[in-house]
Amino acid sequence: MKLLLSPLIGLLLFSVAASAQNFEVPDYQPTTKEEFVKSEADFINAAKWLENTPVGTQMDKRKKMNAWVLIWITNSPTVTVEVSLPIISPFEKNPELSLLFMAGYSRYCLENNYSKDKLKCNTAGLKSAINCYNLGGDVKKDKALNKLLDADKEGKLEDWVREAIKE
């Protein structure tokens, strides 16, 4: 049973990644709470597309996707991204990754019943940015991001976030 299950899981993961790559920029912007709720699946797919597409590639589509995601986050009545300086400071050399952070943060909220857990949301946002950074593309190598990448590989990213969001 395990032998059959492994290829099936791999195929499923590949098809999810492939469908995110084929996602097109929505041609609408929600304005009411009901429209935002209906658009959540599109937002999640947009966030996945940004995370899985290297910076500097598909630039026309990326600019449109960035704009749609940013407007969605800014106007959403259901998701609020709380940004703190220690969390976003690693993006100084790669400011485009800050939107990936916000998209990943928001995506976590939506995928987890509108979670308000600052630790989990911030960690998910950082993982999105790290994943995109790790793809290469048009990003600058950076010690701060490499430190986060190492913390993630060691399973210590959440500990780093916990320290960073202490108030």
Side-chain angles (χ1 to χ4, degrees):
M1 184 65 157
K2 282 185 181 179
L3 292 176
L4 291 175
L5 199 53
S6 292
L8 182 61
I9 290 171
L11 182 60
L12 180 63
L13 291 174
F14 175 76
S15 66
V16 168
S19 68
Q21 289 306 98
N22 294 326
F23 181 71
E24 292 300 320
V25 181
D27 61 355
Y28 68 93
Q29 278 295 339
T31 55
T32 66
K33 184 173 183 176
E34 293 76 26
E35 290 172 348
F36 272 93
V37 170
K38 286 180 184 176
S39 70
E40 288 173 359
D42 282 341
F43 178 86
I44 289 167
N45 284 325
K48 287 178 183 178
W49 186 90
L50 288 169
E51 180 179 335
N52 292 304
T53 305
V55 173
T57 61
Q58 301 185 50
M59 287 309 293
D60 287 340
K61 185 174 181 179
R62 186 173 204 91
K63 286 177 187 175
K64 291 175 185 173
M65 198 75 75
N66 281 343
W68 191 84
V69 165
L70 184 59
I71 291 168
W72 195 97
I73 292 170
T74 302
N75 296 311
S76 173
T78 57
V79 174
T80 301
V81 177
E82 293 185 38
V83 180
S84 63
L85 187 58
I87 294 290
I88 61 165
S89 63
F91 306 132
E92 284 180 19
K93 291 184 181 176
N94 294 285
E96 61 280 354
L97 294 178
S98 60
L99 181 65
L100 267 289
F101 164 77
M102 292 187 292
Y105 184 115
S106 300
R107 184 176 130 208
Y108 180 87
C109 291
L110 295 174
E111 292 177 334
N112 291 279
N113 199 28
Y114 305 108
S115 176
K116 304 257 188 257
D117 184 327
K118 287 169 63 172
L119 177 64
K120 298 288 186 189
C121 292
N122 277 287
T123 302
L126 285 174
K127 282 183 182 251
S128 288
I130 289 167
N131 289 342
C132 189
Y133 172 74
N134 207 30
L135 293 175
D138 192 16
V139 292
K140 295 174 184 79
K141 293 296 177 194
D142 182 82
K143 286 182 184 178
L145 286 172
N146 287 335
K147 181 179 175 182
L148 292 179
L149 187 61
D150 291 343
D152 188 34
K153 286 178 184 174
E154 295 168 8
K156 296 179 180 178
L157 184 61
E158 195 170 283
D159 295 336
W160 185 92
V161 172
R162 186 176 288 111
E163 286 300 312
I165 62 174
K166 277 186 179 176
E167 295 179 46

